[in-house]
Amino acid sequence: MKRSRRLCTLVLALAAVGSALPGAALADLRAGEQGDARDQPDNVSGPRRPDIEQVRVQYDEAGRIDVVFRFYDPLPATDTGSRRVVLSIGAKVDASGSCQTYDTGDVRIGADVATGSSSRQTASVSGYDGTINGTRTQSPDGRELLLSFANTSLASRGYRCVSNVSTYYPDPDGHCAPSYSNCRYISYSYDEDEVANFFFSGFAPPPRPACSNGVDDDRDGVTDSADTGCADAADPDEANPECSDGLDNDGDGDVDMRDGDCGYSPRSPSEGRPPAACDNRRDDDGDGRTDAKDPGCRGDGDGTSEIDPPPVQATFRLKARARRCTVETEVEVLPDLEPERLFPFHNVRITVRGPHYRKTRRLPLGEDEGYVFKRLRPGVYRIRAGYPGDRFRLAPRDVTRRVRVSSRRCRR
């Protein structure tokens, strides 16, 4: 409860100071805060240094800025060196969502840390000649420091964010002299405490591009600049290009860098044009045949579909004649489909009947020698022939013919 009372005291102090500024109470009031984990180790030559726990900033467009620094430990009563807290307030945000505090009109605030100091606290405004003096209030427990600045040069600045919140402590050997910036070049990490940037309420930063937001947006195990999907920090998409996405995008059997179309670069956007359906090494129609071996492709590797053509109506022709105690037949089935190896014919059926004679043969098309029926007796013979159809041709009607074998022709 003691901590709550002290916090309330400071809030009331802020309200009281704000009401003292003419027109401040009704002006656009912006506020924000940021916490910071304890991260200062013990000093090698003394007690733990003050470490920022929280920073709260309130800005009134009428020209007032109030800053509260809260520390984990009470502030020191005396200052053995130049120990300072500083922060910068800005009105602009860059494309990556970072607060910019170096433009004209931005403000930089600093104050001595120790309670026994000369209360040296100033605010400098870019483009403004000189510095603005402020007032300093400290909580009874010594853990909170309130800095207040009121000046017409701070009015209507449109501040929206805070950055560069830091504490600067010199080491025992004075390495921070003659400038606080020198503290950044010594090796002791405890000589500086930094708090993350933050925005005033209602002024959240724009979303960072996918390639600089610290998130593995495409969930491939790599983030931002380490992801091959990122061309630069401003790239809005982490999705990997085709040459590093682990997929066979063009369906040619080669993935990413094994695909020659990637040109040895994982950032190449394309694995090349997908091969035609008749050249992709897949059985697209599931009939057990692939690409040029599939009737749907008709032997053409540029074909766009493996789907087999529908069967067509076949026609059947039969010729028959008697000669030297034989009956010679000739058959023809149409249409011929190309290539022939993909659209083969079935066997034709030929039946010959006559005096004391009946014979049926199933013969492949194109073998003329097999169409002669020999050693026939004189008489009339009936020839019936037909084609049963196949996957690509519908069966036509059977055809019949009659021929006469004479005894004269059978003489030897």
Side-chain angles (χ1 to χ4, degrees):
M1 292 302 295
K2 291 183 179 179
R3 177 176 178 179
S4 298
R5 291 195 191 98
R6 289 165 183 166
L7 288 173
C8 291
T9 300
L10 281 174
V11 172
L12 291 173
L14 281 170
V17 175
S19 62
L21 185 65
L26 298 178
D28 181 6
L29 195 64
R30 307 181 180 192
E33 63 181 50
Q34 178 69 35
D36 186 48
R38 185 186 287 271
D39 52 8
Q40 293 291 334
D42 290 336
N43 183 2
V44 295
S45 60
R48 181 185 297 276
R49 297 178 186 272
D51 181 11
I52 296 177
E53 178 181 355
Q54 185 187 52
V55 178
R56 303 193 297 276
V57 178
Q58 182 171 284
Y59 168 66
D60 193 311
E61 284 277 13
R64 184 181 190 88
I65 294 177
D66 296 301
V67 179
V68 175
F69 291 97
R70 180 170 179 81
F71 297 86
Y72 282 99
D73 302 301
L75 298 175
T78 59
D79 187 7
T80 58
S82 299
R83 303 181 182 183
R84 301 274 285 171
V85 291
V86 297
L87 61 78
S88 299
I89 305 175
K92 294 183 180 180
V93 182
D94 65 14
S96 67
S98 297
C99 182
Q100 299 299 289
T101 57
Y102 302 100
D103 296 309
T104 300
D106 292 342
V107 62
R108 181 177 175 87
I109 293 174
D112 289 333
V113 173
T115 58
S117 68
S118 59
S119 298
R120 185 164 58 95
Q121 51 274 334
T122 59
S124 59
V125 181
S126 175
Y128 175 77
D129 187 14
T131 57
I132 303 169
N133 292 323
T135 61
R136 172 194 183 107
T137 305
Q138 196 157 318
S139 63
D141 65 357
R143 292 181 58 194
E144 291 192 348
L145 181 64
L146 166 63
L147 308 177
S148 297
F149 302 87
N151 193 286
T152 54
S153 65
L154 299 174
S156 304
R157 294 293 191 187
Y159 297 131
R160 58 189 297 188
C161 57
V162 176
S163 72
N164 300 323
V165 181
S166 304
T167 58
Y168 293 94
Y169 302 116
D171 68 349
D173 297 324
H175 289 155
C176 286
S179 169
Y180 296 121
S181 63
N182 291 348
C183 292
R184 294 180 178 272
Y185 300 103
I186 64 177
S187 61
Y188 305 117
S189 62
Y190 54 79
D191 283 320
E192 184 176 351
D193 185 22
E194 294 185 347
V195 179
N197 299 358
F198 61 93
F199 284 73
F200 294 151
S201 299
F203 297 91
R208 286 191 170 191
C211 287
S212 57
N213 62 3
V215 178
D216 181 13
D217 297 270
D218 59 357
R219 300 182 181 180
D220 63 353
V222 262
T223 302
D224 296 348
S225 61
D227 196 308
T228 54
C230 292
D232 51 45
D235 193 333
D237 189 1
E238 252 191 14
N240 289 346
E242 289 188 1
C243 288
S244 57
D245 62 0
L247 303 175
D248 180 15
N249 296 277
D250 58 0
D252 64 355
D254 296 322
V255 178
D256 294 347
M257 297 306 296
R258 292 194 297 273
D259 195 309
D261 290 316
C262 285
Y264 306 102
S265 173
R267 295 187 184 274
S268 295
S270 175
E271 285 186 354
R273 294 180 57 188
C278 292
D279 192 35
N280 62 8
R281 291 183 268 184
R282 293 198 302 263
D283 179 13
D284 297 279
D285 59 356
D287 65 355
R289 301 183 181 185
T290 303
D291 295 347
K293 296 181 180 179
D294 194 301
C297 293
R298 296 179 178 270
D300 183 4
D302 293 328
T304 59
S305 175
E306 278 191 358
I307 298 176
D308 294 349
V312 297
Q313 182 60 57
T315 59
F316 183 79
R317 297 175 183 175
L318 170 65
K319 294 181 180 180
R321 65 176 180 175
R323 184 179 183 182
R324 294 181 183 179
C325 300
T326 62
V327 171
E328 296 179 355
T329 61
E330 181 180 338
V331 297
E332 182 180 23
V333 179
L334 296 175
D336 290 323
L337 300 176
E338 297 293 337
E340 183 179 348
R341 60 184 174 80
L342 298 180
F343 302 96
F345 288 97
H346 287 169
N347 292 340
V348 298
R349 183 190 70 257
I350 304 176
T351 299
V352 178
R353 292 182 180 180
H356 307 285
Y357 186 89
R358 177 175 178 174
K359 181 176 290 188
T360 298
R361 301 188 65 181
R362 297 183 183 275
L363 305 168
L365 288 167
E367 296 185 10
D368 295 339
E369 182 179 356
Y371 296 97
V372 178
F373 295 83
K374 301 178 180 180
R375 298 178 182 178
L376 305 182
R377 295 181 179 185
V380 177
Y381 288 82
R382 183 171 179 267
I383 301 98
R384 182 182 182 90
Y387 183 68
D390 55 57
R391 288 177 55 196
F392 309 104
R393 304 171 186 86
L394 300 176
R397 292 182 178 180
D398 288 357
V399 178
T400 60
R401 296 286 186 268
R402 291 178 181 271
V403 297
R404 178 180 291 276
V405 177
S406 66
S407 58
R408 180 177 58 84
R409 290 185 178 181
C410 290
R411 293 175 184 174
R412 294 181 178 272

